[in-house]
Amino acid sequence: MDETQKPRSAIVVGAGAGGIAVAARLAKAGVDVTVLEKNDFTGGRCSLIHTKDGYRFDQGPSLLLLPGLFRETFEDLGTTLEQEGVELLQCFPNYNIWFSDGKRFSPTTDNATMKLEIEKWEGPDGFRRYLSWLAEGHQHYETSLRHVLHRNFNSIFELADPRLVVRLLLALHPFESIWHRAGRFFKTDRMQRVFTFATMYMGMSPFDAPATYSLLQYSELAEGIWYPRGGFHKVLDALVKIGERTGVKYRLSTGVSKVLTDGGKNGKKPKATGVQLENGEVLNADLVVLNADLVYAYNNLLPKEVGGIKKYASKLNNRKASCSSISFYWSLSGMAPELETHNIFLAEEYKDSFDAIFERQALPDDPSFYIHVPSRVDPSAAPPNRDAIIALVPVGHLLQNGQPELDWPTLVSKARAGVLATIQARTGLSLSPLITDEIVNTPYTWETKFNLSKGAILGLAHDFFNVLAFRPRTKAQGLDNAYFVGASTHPGTGVPIVLAGAKITAEQIIGETFPRNTKVPWTTNEERNSERMRKDLDERIMEDGVIARITSNKPGRRGSDAFEGAMEVVNLLSQRAFPLLVALMGVLYFLLFVR
């Protein structure tokens, strides 16, 4: 491809959330895009299951969080959710959270109700401490948006900016677990559980997940939990239609067997030149974007003889993965009024239930689980006067690597019995007699249907050495014109995060493969993160947040003065000790992930 010309064509492998979004963005930039999908439906895990009797189930995600990132995607593409016919329904309350003794907690965006709920458990001072927790969640949320979700990390040395590192370390609390951090705000064990369980959205235990991820429950309480009428797939279907209007072509039931390259010419790095389909057909393109599971793609689609891919693929197999799930999709002959749209049943042995999943890769004896009743908020999910129910039970991922696999049929039976018994014991609802039909997804289902390595439903884990510059890059290792988008590349998992990642990948492609000074046809992340906007936001965060609390002890000293003082210290460190720290981080990264 002539470096003075922009790429004329691109192939996107996989029609998940990231693939659909990046296809629409590249098409808006003038690229001829073809999306190849192995299944006969779009959306990947964010797809729907329909039964012949008129029941509809969300196969994967069912809570729409971080609505601003969804709106940003649609606005960048010249439209809005509303213009595309997507109607978002807010869920009240956010959840019913059930404890082992039948008591429950119902978090909501309504602060008057939350005050009463919190004080039942935490006493008169509880609501003040809750508001402090909420303020810190806001800090985590805003800092992450600016410095993580709206920027790329192409090298470990991008963490060499001392001001950035200090902001991330002091504002995000990445080295403290969310469980431990919550204990600073809440006195009771049960409220710690209420405000930490959402790390399961990232496929992590709250005892291991960084405190940063309080931003998830902050978003639920500040912005609400939403559900698209017609199912979560309505959002992605709208993005499919937007892409098709600008020329994106979708080929469903079209599996890809490998990515093709030019082998490297004249000593240059090899370039992706297209793909070969499972039926032997060859499709050529200037760009290849992989929305297939990243670990699967490195092991099965990318050429092992190129640029250290074989060694890197082997290392990826040993990276910590997220959990899997046993998911039941139940058609009911009646309604289950005891259940709200979203219901969480927390295990009595809370820590052990997570240890069973993440340490032993098994099904806990007493699992925490999630019940979704889409027909509660959207009656179109089931026939009149009936309910559709999804029960998601987190479990360990598949073992692989020669380890003996668990007896999953037995575990499915155990999980089903446990879920039904727990629901009856805590709510009084006897659900079993109402179930007329059942569909089950196991870790093997997730692995085979969606090519998810180890059946891990949320891709790679999100511990410290699996985020930022440590997470697999959005550009393929050792290969030009090949890129990634999706849960296991930067910035991470979850539909809104993946949509943010699609923007990052699209802007990287434009910056690296289009003629210099090409105007990106939307408000770029760099423009959103302009120095003025970042400085204003950082000063507000630091004035109200960590640096102000740590350094502003003298009467009358302003938080902004503390911020500037802290930055003076950081600048001094950057001249003396910080280069050594960055060098040590680089060596650590090399030893862990490259060597």
Side-chain angles (χ1 to χ4, degrees), residues 98 262 289 525-526 553 592:
W98 294 87
D262 63 1
V289 184
N525 283 328
E526 183 177 1
N553 293 321
L592 288 172

Side-chain angles (χ1 to χ4, degrees), residues 220-241:
E220 294 176 353
L221 293 161
E223 301 174 323
I225 292 177
W226 302 82
Y227 184 77
R229 187 184 297 278
F232 208 117
H233 184 258
K234 280 290 185 182
V235 177
L236 298 189
D237 189 52
L239 289 174
V240 168
K241 290 181 170 62

Side-chain angles (χ1 to χ4, degrees), residues 62-68 70-71 88-95 107-110 130 134 141 201 215-227 232 342 496:
S62 57
L63 304 94
L64 192 148
L65 306 178
L66 302 166
F70 288 88
R71 296 192 181 281
L88 298 183
L89 307 170
Q90 189 169 3
C91 302
F92 294 104
N94 286 359
Y95 306 93
T108 173
T109 54
D110 179 66
Y130 163 74
L134 203 64
Y141 175 89
Y201 301 159
L215 67 89
L216 294 170
Q217 279 169 298
Y218 162 80
S219 173
E220 294 176 353
L221 293 161
E223 301 174 323
I225 292 177
W226 302 82
Y227 184 77
F232 208 117
H342 304 294

Side-chain angles (χ1 to χ4, degrees), residues 149 544 561:
L149 301 182
D544 296 332
D561 296 335

Side-chain angles (χ1 to χ4, degrees), residues 94-161:
N94 286 359
Y95 306 93
N96 273 346
I97 301 174
W98 294 87
F99 302 111
S100 59
D101 59 2
K103 293 181 179 179
R104 67 184 179 186
F105 185 90
S106 300
T108 173
T109 54
D110 179 66
N111 270 337
T113 301
M114 280 297 284
K115 185 174 187 294
L116 295 175
E117 286 278 306
I118 290 284
E119 289 178 350
K120 286 179 188 175
W121 299 91
E122 292 282 316
D125 190 50
F127 189 65
R128 180 193 64 79
R129 287 181 277 108
Y130 163 74
L131 292 177
S132 296
W133 173 86
L134 203 64
E136 184 171 278
H138 174 76
Q139 175 178 296
H140 292 163
Y141 175 89
E142 293 291 350
T143 304
S144 296
L145 279 180
R146 298 293 176 186
H147 297 296
V148 179
L149 301 182
H150 279 145
R151 66 167 293 168
N152 207 348
F153 289 87
N154 294 314
S155 165
I156 186 67
F157 296 105
E158 292 192 25
L159 292 175
D161 178 353

Side-chain angles (χ1 to χ4, degrees), residues 332 334-340 373 376 386-387 389 429 431 434:
L332 301 191
M335 301 187 72
E338 295 85 350
L339 300 173
E340 286 292 345
V373 189
R376 187 68 65 249
R386 299 186 181 187
D387 275 332
I389 288 185
L429 170 65
L431 197 57
L434 298 176

Side-chain angles (χ1 to χ4, degrees), residues 228-447:
R229 187 184 297 278
F232 208 117
H233 184 258
K234 280 290 185 182
V235 177
L236 298 189
D237 189 52
L239 289 174
V240 168
K241 290 181 170 62
I242 293 168
E244 288 177 330
R245 291 202 299 266
T246 50
V248 177
K249 296 176 286 295
Y250 282 84
R251 292 182 58 175
L252 306 182
S253 302
T254 304
V256 172
S257 63
K258 62 181 177 180
V259 174
L260 303 175
T261 76
D262 63 1
K265 296 179 178 178
N266 302 320
K268 292 184 177 180
K269 183 187 292 187
K271 292 182 179 181
T273 60
V275 299
Q276 181 174 310
L277 304 184
E278 290 177 349
N279 64 8
E281 182 182 355
V282 171
L283 299 177
N284 296 312
D286 297 322
L287 298 168
V288 175
V289 184
L290 294 160
N291 184 219
D293 178 78
L294 182 139
V295 179
Y296 171 86
Y298 268 106
N299 280 278
N300 297 277
L301 300 182
L302 293 179
K304 296 290 182 64
E305 67 276 7
V306 168
I309 286 178
K310 183 176 182 179
K311 178 182 277 190
Y312 188 62
S314 178
K315 285 192 169 291
L316 286 174
N317 291 333
N318 295 320
R319 288 260 193 126
K320 185 182 291 186
S322 62
C323 64
S324 190
S325 80
I326 297 172
S327 296
F328 301 98
Y329 308 89
W330 290 325
S331 303
L332 301 191
S333 60
M335 301 187 72
E338 295 85 350
L339 300 173
E340 286 292 345
T341 304
H342 304 294
N343 309 267
I344 302 291
F345 291 80
L346 294 179
E348 174 64 17
E349 299 298 328
Y350 190 64
K351 186 177 188 304
D352 186 69
S353 70
F354 286 107
D355 288 346
I357 296 168
F358 296 102
E359 302 298 330
R360 303 191 290 274
Q361 303 303 329
L363 170 69
D365 292 331
D366 174 27
S368 298
F369 58 89
Y370 164 65
I371 297 290
H372 174 44
V373 189
S375 47
R376 187 68 65 249
V377 67
D378 179 8
S380 69
N385 301 314
R386 299 186 181 187
D387 275 332
I389 288 185
I390 299 117
L392 187 153
V393 185
V395 296
H397 58 64
L398 299 175
L399 299 176
Q400 298 183 351
N401 298 325
Q403 301 178 67
E405 200 51 75
L406 302 175
D407 182 357
W408 286 105
T410 298
L411 293 179
V412 168
S413 298
K414 180 181 176 182
R416 180 191 300 108
V419 166
L420 295 174
T422 298
I423 290 174
Q424 182 165 8
R426 299 188 190 183
T427 73
L429 170 65
S430 180
L431 197 57
S432 184
L434 298 176
I435 298 174
T436 61
D437 187 56
E438 175 185 84
I439 300 169
V440 183
N441 277 0
T442 71
Y444 282 118
T445 312
W446 299 116
E447 181 184 49

Side-chain angles (χ1 to χ4, degrees), residues 97 99-100 121-122 129 179 182-183 185-197 206-207 346-351:
I97 301 174
F99 302 111
S100 59
W121 299 91
E122 292 282 316
R129 287 181 277 108
W179 174 262
F185 299 93
F186 303 106
K187 296 178 180 178
T188 63
D189 177 83
R190 288 194 170 182
M191 289 303 97
Q192 279 186 260
R193 297 181 184 204
V194 163
F195 293 103
T196 61
F197 76 85
F207 298 94
L346 294 179
E348 174 64 17
E349 299 298 328
Y350 190 64
K351 186 177 188 304

